[in-house]
Structure formats: structure tokens, C-alpha cells
Amino acid sequence: MSDRSIRFNVPTVEGRELEHVAAAVRGGHTASSGPFTELVSTLLAEHHGAPDALLTTSCTDALEMTALMLDLGPGDAVVVPSFTFVTSALAYTRTGARLLFCDIERDTLALDPVQLERLLATHPNVRCVVHVHYAGIAGRIAEVADLVARYPRVTLVEDNAHGLFGMVGERTLGTYGRFSTLSFHETKNFICGEGGALIVNDEADVGRAHVLLDKGTDRRAFSLGLTDKYTWRDTGSSFGLSDMLAAYLWGQLEQRETILAQRRGVFDRYAASLAPVADEVGIRLPVVPEGRTPAWHMFHLLLPDASSRDHALDALRRAGVHATFHYVPLHRSDGGRRFAAAPSECPVTDDVSARLLRLPFHNRMSASEQERVVGVLLDSLRTYGGASAATG
Ligand SMILES: Cc1ncc(COP(=O)(O)O)c(C=O)c1O
């Protein structure tokens, strides 16, 4: 690989992450529920104005916890976007519940409230709706929340893997649902290798969430001195994040203003150089509706069609630039078909998935690296001769 290659994701140490990890090891509490977990949980709970935030081994595990919290089972259905990561859907299938794939709206690529309304009206067995804040940009989440509130049997979960610190006006993403989930996987804005969180927005859920997190036991009540022994109480698993990873994460979150500003800078520079030529080369930039503050998670473009997208990806890769596509529609995947409650049509997902391209994006990306990415992209689009050129 050429040393001028531009990687997609470059995890960076922003502050005292490694010192905190050493402190966690020296302190002797390296399992879950340690002092760094407490620091991160408190910060996340305060940011969301939530009664509690539980650190988990992944966003996937946090989503699985919501399935357990809702006691989903055979006969139940869960609405998920087709345009999302596998585990937004997979997390619900182990319970025996089945999936209804919903399409996305064209602008923000988040759940389409119109199709959601139809699904809720025609499937009385829906118990849960999962809304993904794609790229950390809020879609029509307030409408989705109002719609779900009309069906008391249905719970809203926000899969906020991309959107920590994103806002709609003054409201924090992750505060609309009864639960929301976060990811600290190495590809996300704030990382600890693998990690996640379950934001619990309803006080009534806090006690049971801790039991589920802690292998089905009431160990937390015991450590708080509320019981004189701890024992098996409920379902659950070993969902808690190691305090060594929480220590790393704490170092990242201490730098949250810096990281967000760096990422915003990368986003704005791409937007400033591509917006003036977007019509000429036929690309669409990320749409940020009025009043939304993104979490600056990624920079995604829609190209005119699938073959121009593939042509541009190829040109970028040949130039050592690691651009990439994104989600393959879940309603068409083997797993999606296997676990679906009913077949679905998701034409926007099909269309967007074929045309979407993500540019390299990381905290320390320099202006000159971005110029090179944009130069290669524009050259490839301006010299592209159409689908026959791509195949011929
Ligand atoms: C929307 C979405 N949900 C869930 C996940 C899963 O996150 P994790 O790797 O922390 O389990 C991802 C990961 O990319 C994601 O993009």
C-alpha cells in the first residue's frame, strides 16, 4: 500500500486514555461496574437527562437488552429500518420475535413515518419500533415518537450508534425513546475498541436493567447495601463493559469538545469543497434539516446511479483512498428474509444503498488529505462515461 493512502477510519488517542487504562489496572477493578464505568455512566446519564446509563460490551448488546426488557417473544413483531447495520435487527430475533422492515425517507435516510404508520396500523402484534439516527443526523424522530405514542403496546428504541451529542433543537438524540443505545466500537466518534451503552429514559426500568446487565442477579442492589446477599433473579447475560475499556472511553469523552470540533471541521471542509460542484457532477451531499445539530459521524454522498458510484469507489481505491459504500438492504438479506414477519417493499433503501458512497472521515484528517480525496472523486465523476464505460 502506498504511504499516501488515506484510510477510512483512524482511531486516535486524544488525551489521557492510556493513563486511565493504567490507573484502572493498578486500582485492581478491571471487571464491569468499576470507578471509570461510574464516571462515564454519570456523564452519559446527565447528558441525556436520563435516570441511568449502563455501559455494555457493545451497542448490539444494549439492543439485545432492550429486547429482554420488553419480554419480546414468539408472536411479537419489531419494526426496524431496512437501511441499518445488521444488529439493529438481529438483536431482536433471539427472543423469537419477528421483524418488519420499514423504508427510510430520502433526505435524512432515517425511518419513514408514512410507511411506519401503515405498518403499525396493519400489524397489531408490533411491540417495538427501532429508529436509527443515520450518520448522527436526526430524521423525523419527533413525528415517529408521536406516532408510536398512539399505540400504548409499542415501545420506541433509538439506535443511536452514530449520534452521541447530536441534537434536534435543544433536545438530545437518544431522549425520545424509552431506551436508546450507543456504540463505542472503533469505527465510532468516541471509542474503546468494542463498547456500548444503554440509556434508560424511564426510572421504572432502572432496577431491572441492572439485573439483566449483571447476569440476571441483583448484585448491584447488594453492592449498594440494599440486600445482604445477591442471587439469581431474572433473565440476563454478562453485558457489562470492563472498567479498563471504560477508562479508555473516559479519556475520549474528556476530549468530547475537541473531538466534535475536529469532526465538524472535517465535515464542513468536505461540504465547502463539494457543494459548489454538486449539481455539475450530479452528487447529493448529506442533508441536515433545519434545527438539527449532527454528531458529525460521517460524510456520505449519493451519486447519480449504481455504476457511477462503483466507478468512483474504484477510482478512489486505486488512488489509495479508502472510501466505501454502506448498508446492504436488510430486507433482501438471507437473515432478513429468514426472520421477517412479512415481506416488505423498501424502494428508497434499495435505491440509496446502490448509490451511497462514504468518504474517509476521522478526527485528525488534514485539509490536504481532504483536498486529495475530493480531487480524485471529482476527476472520476467528470471523466466517467456512463454504465457502458464502467462495464466495457
Ligand atoms: C446503526 C448501528 N447500530 C448498531 C451497531 C452495532 O454497534 P456495536 O458494534 O457497538 O455492536 C452499529 C455498528 O456499526 C450501527 O452502525
Side-chain angles (χ1 to χ4, degrees):
M1 186 187 304
S2 122
D3 57 3
R4 291 190 71 225
S5 71
I6 299 180
R7 286 170 58 198
F8 192 85
N9 237 306
V10 182
T12 46
V13 175
E14 303 289 336
R16 300 178 54 213
E17 290 89 333
L18 300 177
E19 287 169 42
H20 293 331
V21 174
V25 175
R26 279 192 212 102
H29 190 133
T30 52
S32 64
S33 309
F36 285 101
T37 298
E38 185 62 32
L39 286 170
V40 174
S41 295
T42 304
L43 184 147
L44 293 177
E46 279 173 5
H47 172 69
H48 289 83
D52 213 342
L54 282 63
L55 296 196
T56 56
T57 53
S58 63
C59 182
T60 301
D61 268 0
L63 289 163
E64 286 208 34
M65 284 185 69
T66 70
L68 297 180
M69 288 295 291
L70 298 179
D71 290 312
L72 295 178
D76 295 331
V78 177
V79 177
V80 292
S82 174
F83 189 68
T84 184
F85 188 65
V86 172
T87 58
S88 314
L90 171 73
Y92 296 93
T93 57
R94 206 187 311 284
T95 62
R98 298 192 79 82
L99 306 169
L100 287 166
F101 292 105
C102 186
D103 211 353
I104 48 171
E105 49 156 5
R106 284 201 174 271
D107 283 357
T108 60
L109 314 185
L111 215 56
D112 173 13
V114 177
Q115 196 186 353
L116 174 62
E117 184 157 23
R118 273 203 300 274
L119 289 171
L120 290 173
T122 51
H123 293 275
N125 58 340
V126 173
R127 299 266 328 277
C128 176
V129 170
V130 180
H131 184 103
V132 176
H133 300 295
Y134 184 74
I137 301 170
R140 289 156 69 184
I141 181 65
E143 268 173 73
V144 166
D146 288 348
L147 189 56
V148 170
R150 299 213 313 254
Y151 296 84
R153 66 173 195 278
V154 185
T155 291
L156 176 62
V157 173
E158 293 170 80
D159 176 344
N160 198 20
H162 303 176
L164 177 58
F165 302 121
M167 308 280 287
V168 182
E170 295 298 304
R171 187 154 177 186
T172 299
L173 290 193
T175 61
Y176 289 85
R178 178 167 148 195
F179 303 104
S180 66
T181 61
L182 295 168
S183 174
F184 304 113
H185 182 264
E186 68 168 23
T187 51
K188 300 303 185 296
N189 291 9
F190 303 94
I191 66 167
C192 62
E194 300 270 3
L198 176 70
I199 308 299
V200 182
N201 284 322
D202 185 339
E203 181 74 52
D205 287 322
V206 169
R208 186 166 186 231
H210 277 279
V211 172
L212 268 50
L213 180 97
D214 227 341
K215 295 128 177 155
T217 72
D218 55 359
R219 194 161 67 104
R220 177 167 176 263
F222 172 69
S223 35
L224 293 175
L226 303 174
T227 56
D228 56 0
K229 57 185 174 317
Y230 78 90
T231 180
W232 185 9
R233 293 277 175 189
D234 202 337
T235 186
S237 192
S238 184
F239 288 119
L241 185 74
S242 156
D243 217 51
M244 288 187 285
L245 296 179
Y248 192 95
L249 183 56
W250 176 243
Q252 290 260 297
L253 290 170
E254 281 180 322
Q255 301 292 311
R256 59 195 176 280
E257 300 300 335
T258 310
I259 291 175
L260 288 171
Q262 288 168 337
R263 298 187 76 90
R264 184 184 184 147
V266 175
F267 187 101
D268 287 348
R269 281 199 299 270
Y270 273 139
S273 53
L274 288 170
V277 292
D279 288 346
E280 180 217 327
V281 296
I283 55 174
R284 197 196 79 181
L285 273 55
V287 176
V288 181
E290 178 94 27
R292 266 59 160 191
T293 307
W296 318 112
H297 179 49
M298 62 171 92
F299 198 88
H300 54 287
L301 298 170
L302 290 186
L303 271 65
D305 50 40
S307 63
S308 58
R309 191 274 306 264
D310 293 345
H311 175 77
L313 273 181
D314 196 44
L316 287 158
R317 280 181 193 149
R318 275 187 281 110
V321 175
H322 293 201
T324 185
F325 54 88
H326 213 181
Y327 305 128
V328 177
L330 292 183
H331 72 290
R332 297 194 176 279
S333 66
D334 288 348
R337 285 183 217 268
R338 174 170 161 203
F339 294 111
S344 358
E345 299 278 307
C346 300
V348 180
T349 297
D350 287 332
D351 175 47
V352 162
S353 170
R355 294 196 289 128
L356 190 138
L357 182 154
R358 291 181 294 150
L359 295 179
F361 199 114
H362 59 83
N363 300 356
R364 300 278 179 83
M365 212 169 168
S366 68
S368 64
E369 282 180 315
Q370 287 189 264
E371 265 169 41
R372 193 156 84 78
V373 172
V374 168
V376 176
L377 175 71
L378 293 181
D379 277 354
S380 91
L381 293 172
R382 286 181 176 133
T383 55
Y384 176 60
S388 55
T391 52

